[in-house]
Amino acid sequence: MPTVRRAEANKAQRSDSPAQQFIQRLPKLATQLTHICNAMSETSPSTIRARGIPVALAVLLALAIALVPLWSTEIPPMLDYHNHLARQYILFNYESSEYLSQYYKVSWHASPYLAFDSIVQGFAQFVPVDVAGKLFLSLLLLLLALAPIALNLALFGRVTPIALIGLLFVHNDTVTLGFVNYLFSIGFALCLLALWIRFREGPNWVRLLAFPILCSLLFFSHLLGYAIYLLMVGSYELGRHIQHAWQRTPRAFFSLTREQVRNLLSIAFQCTLPLAIFMIYGPSTESVSSNTHGGLGRKFELLQEMFTYLMPPYVWTLDRAVTLLLPLVAIALLAMRRLTVPGAMLWPLAAMLVLFFVMPMELFSGWGADHRLLPALGLLLIGSIAPVQPAGPVMRQIGVLATAAIVALVAVRTGAVTVEWRKSNQEYAEYVAAFEHITPGSRMFFAFGHKDGDKQIGLRPNYHLPLLVLSRHAVYAPFLFASNSGGFTLQYQPSVEPMQRLSKGPVLLNGASPNWPAIQDTFDYFILVNEAYFDTPVPQQLVPIYAGPTVKLYRRAPADPS
């Protein structure tokens, strides 16, 4: 009987499709990926073999925390992501639509915020736009998850249990806010820093050619991620130089080795190449309307709540307990000298801390530039720490138990995020039902009512979800991330751009209402959420045509022919 089963299995294997054969090869590919990760370390081959399983486990956990919640939901509940995704539908359908060119115009140029647009539009040539968006998010979340693992491999030649704690920080508040270009850039920057640490004494072509090209790609992902990377690399090299100079006799702080000169040349090329491309092919204008620091009190408050920011409460009791215990345990282990940080890594950590304190709250009119640094700072810190090798069987057993506990926490958090994100499927279905009543070529306004003065962002924000009407119909919608100043691939046509300012929105606080006299005759459809909080009721001129549990859709009544 077993022989017959093996024969049937062999027959089935021979008839497998290419896709099935690829799936069957995944274990072998995973093994090869493990060897590649281990090759980044400076340990001996025998040590690498002994530590291959932890690397494979770390990669598996990174894949789980990054991909399982994402692919369990139709539209991930990330605030600004919905706005960015709506823009992708316009960019993709622009040439084939008879309506989109009436309201929008496309303007591609070498802007330092192109990660999402360029990668999604590339994927969209082969898969639907929403799937292309998820593929980009997969890359983004994997970069964040792998960043502390890559840093551990580069610094210590192994993945420590501390690096696995970084997986708990992948679904942080910045991810919830949906700052996709920035998040992609900091994951990219941290992984690129790990590569630099590993190959800083490597072949000349890697330092003088490969790194400037990679840094240019980082620059065009997001300007802040590029600046963070250069700050980390520069401060790391400064720390290494001071360490070596201090150990020499006599101490020669201004004397550089040949390798250091090559590294300085590489860093110079990494700075100048993307800036040269930007100067030649970038936008001709860039508006900077306001910068606001926010005060040192705000910075200290954000630092105090750093772990809460990095681990928003998907399982409230457990997550809050972890965010309270993590800093206490870390301080205790540092005091007991059970944790180690390479001396050269203290410089990037200090540089990032200084950057956090000087970073404005509002930078180039972009809100929250300071708190966006917390994920970069947290992942850099986690990737730079390793436990001291345990001595004796008792300490080794404690280390194994600690690793098992962290793995369990990552698994629980993955499940909790998945459960929470799946709830957004039903919420999105309500909006899709409303979209079906909207006609192509029309103009749609949307607004959210609020009783008090706080935006209820929560774990599943939806303030930009109405913009995904563009996934169904070519319509005009306000509040898109589109501007006539530099930095955007999409702009409003001059004839309709003033419609952006007819009414405040989309979130109306303290019982405020849309400016009904200005918009009721301008727009054709109105998606309203929590309209009971509007201090001015919906005009009778607007006719309700759809009502869901939270979403209502109104249509402007036809003009009376008399």
Side-chain angles (χ1 to χ4, degrees):
M1 194 65 163
T3 304
V4 174
R5 288 179 179 173
R6 281 197 297 270
E8 292 176 349
N10 293 334
K11 182 178 178 181
Q13 185 176 7
R14 287 193 296 270
S15 61
D16 282 345
S17 65
Q20 291 172 323
Q21 293 175 7
F22 174 76
I23 293 173
Q24 292 168 357
R25 292 173 184 166
L26 283 178
K28 184 177 179 180
L29 293 174
T31 303
Q32 293 174 347
L33 178 62
T34 299
H35 292 326
I36 292 172
C37 293
N38 282 324
M40 291 178 59
S41 69
E42 300 176 352
T43 52
S44 64
S46 60
T47 306
I48 289 173
R49 284 194 294 271
R51 291 166 183 169
I53 293 178
V55 174
L57 175 63
V59 172
L60 179 63
L61 288 172
L63 289 170
I65 193 72
L67 302 183
V68 172
L70 174 63
W71 291 93
S72 68
T73 181
E74 188 169 356
I75 299 294
M78 300 164 62
L79 181 62
D80 284 3
Y81 172 72
H82 304 148
N83 199 311
H84 289 294
L85 185 61
R87 184 176 66 253
Q88 302 314 304
Y89 284 103
I90 298 175
L91 295 175
F92 184 75
N93 296 315
Y94 189 80
E95 297 296 334
S96 61
S97 171
E98 61 178 305
Y99 299 113
L100 291 176
S101 60
Q102 299 176 20
Y103 300 132
Y104 314 100
K105 58 180 179 179
V106 175
S107 177
W108 286 93
H109 42 246
S111 164
Y113 309 102
L114 290 177
F116 190 69
D117 289 5
S118 58
I119 294 175
V120 171
Q121 290 304 308
F123 283 142
Q125 306 304 313
F126 309 99
V127 296
V129 172
D130 61 322
V131 176
K134 282 188 176 182
L135 289 174
F136 175 86
L137 293 181
S138 299
L139 293 175
L140 181 160
L141 294 170
L142 277 173
L143 285 172
L144 294 178
L146 293 174
I149 296 172
L151 284 169
N152 259 207
L153 284 170
L155 291 168
F156 310 110
R158 60 194 175 98
V159 178
T160 72
I162 306 297
L164 299 184
I165 294 176
L167 301 178
L168 300 173
F169 301 160
V170 171
H171 291 279
N172 53 72
D173 272 346
T174 305
V175 170
T176 302
L177 292 171
F179 297 158
V180 290
N181 285 320
Y182 169 72
L183 287 164
F184 180 88
S185 75
I186 64 167
F188 190 177
L190 289 167
C191 290
L192 193 56
L193 172 64
L195 284 175
W196 173 263
I197 294 171
R198 176 63 184 88
F199 292 107
R200 60 183 299 275
E201 296 180 356
N204 289 335
W205 71 268
V206 173
R207 287 181 281 178
L208 300 178
L209 179 62
F211 274 99
I213 292 175
L214 291 172
C215 194
S216 297
L217 295 176
L218 176 59
F219 174 86
F220 292 107
S221 298
H222 197 281
L223 183 60
L224 188 53
Y226 164 78
I228 288 172
Y229 166 74
L230 290 179
L231 178 67
M232 293 188 297
V233 167
S235 55
Y236 177 80
E237 287 300 315
L238 177 62
R240 289 289 297 257
H241 172 68
I242 292 176
Q243 270 188 329
H244 291 162
W246 191 264
Q247 294 169 358
R248 278 182 284 190
T249 304
R251 293 167 184 161
F253 289 101
F254 298 102
S255 176
L256 299 178
T257 66
R258 185 175 299 176
E259 292 297 324
Q260 288 176 316
V261 171
R262 291 195 182 106
N263 286 341
L264 285 177
L265 283 175
S266 174
I267 294 173
F269 289 157
Q270 292 179 64
C271 292
T272 55
L273 179 60
L275 291 176
I277 297 173
F278 177 71
M279 293 296 293
I280 297 172
Y281 299 105
S284 58
T285 61
E286 184 75 36
S287 67
V288 180
S289 57
S290 63
N291 295 305
T292 306
H293 183 262
L296 290 178
R298 169 183 166 85
K299 313 303 181 184
F300 283 110
E301 183 178 350
L302 287 173
L303 273 184
Q304 184 181 355
E305 299 175 354
M306 175 177 173
F307 287 99
T308 302
Y309 186 93
L310 295 174
M311 283 188 64
Y314 285 94
V315 181
W316 202 95
T317 303
L318 179 62
D319 289 341
R320 283 294 176 261
V322 171
T323 56
L324 288 173
L325 289 174
L326 270 180
L328 297 177
V329 172
I331 293 172
L333 291 176
L334 285 170
M336 297 166 59
R337 298 186 178 181
R338 303 307 306 173
L339 296 179
T340 180
V341 179
M345 288 305 296
L346 295 175
W347 292 82
L349 288 167
M352 285 293 296
L353 194 60
V354 171
L355 177 64
F356 173 77
F357 276 102
V358 302
M359 179 64 68
M361 176 183 67
E362 185 178 16
L363 180 65
F364 301 159
S365 298
W367 173 78
D370 51 1
H371 69 67
R372 297 187 196 196
L373 292 176
L374 292 177
L377 183 58
L379 292 173
L380 177 65
L381 176 63
I382 290 298
S384 303
I385 297 177
V388 176
Q389 290 285 3
V394 175
M395 293 303 298
R396 283 194 291 270
Q397 187 174 10
I398 292 176
V400 171
L401 292 175
T403 303
I406 295 170
V407 170
L409 283 173
V410 172
V412 170
R413 186 159 179 82
T414 300
V417 175
T418 301
V419 170
E420 188 67 31
W421 278 27
R422 283 180 60 86
K423 296 177 183 177
S424 66
N425 289 339
Q426 185 175 357
E427 297 168 355
Y428 180 59
E430 185 180 354
Y431 284 89
V432 171
F435 297 159
E436 298 304 322
H437 298 273
I438 296 175
T439 57
S442 58
R443 301 175 177 183
M444 183 210 72
F445 181 86
F446 65 99
F448 292 75
H450 270 283
K451 182 179 181 180
D452 52 31
D454 294 326
K455 294 182 180 180
Q456 306 296 324
I457 293 179
L459 297 175
R460 302 190 311 277
N462 59 359
Y463 291 139
H464 296 297
L465 205 53
L467 289 171
L468 290 182
V469 65
L470 288 156
S471 68
R472 299 297 197 275
H473 307 295
V475 300
Y476 171 86
F479 313 126
L480 280 164
F481 296 150
S483 172
N484 292 332
S485 61
F488 292 92
T489 56
L490 186 70
Q491 303 170 11
Y492 285 102
Q493 292 286 3
S495 58
V496 299
E497 199 277 334
M499 293 169 59
Q500 292 276 90
R501 297 181 292 276
L502 292 178
S503 176
K504 294 181 178 180
V507 183
L508 301 172
L509 304 176
N510 297 314
S513 300
N515 186 357
W516 296 120
I519 65 174
Q520 64 184 5
D521 293 324
T522 305
F523 291 90
D524 304 301
Y525 294 92
F526 302 80
I527 291 181
L528 305 178
V529 181
N530 297 330
E531 66 174 82
Y533 295 128
F534 296 156
D535 55 15
T536 303
V538 177
Q540 294 183 352
Q541 180 184 351
L542 306 184
V543 179
I545 58 175
Y546 172 81
T550 59
V551 177
K552 287 189 177 180
L553 176 66
Y554 291 83
R555 182 182 61 204
R556 176 166 53 89
D560 189 348
S562 61

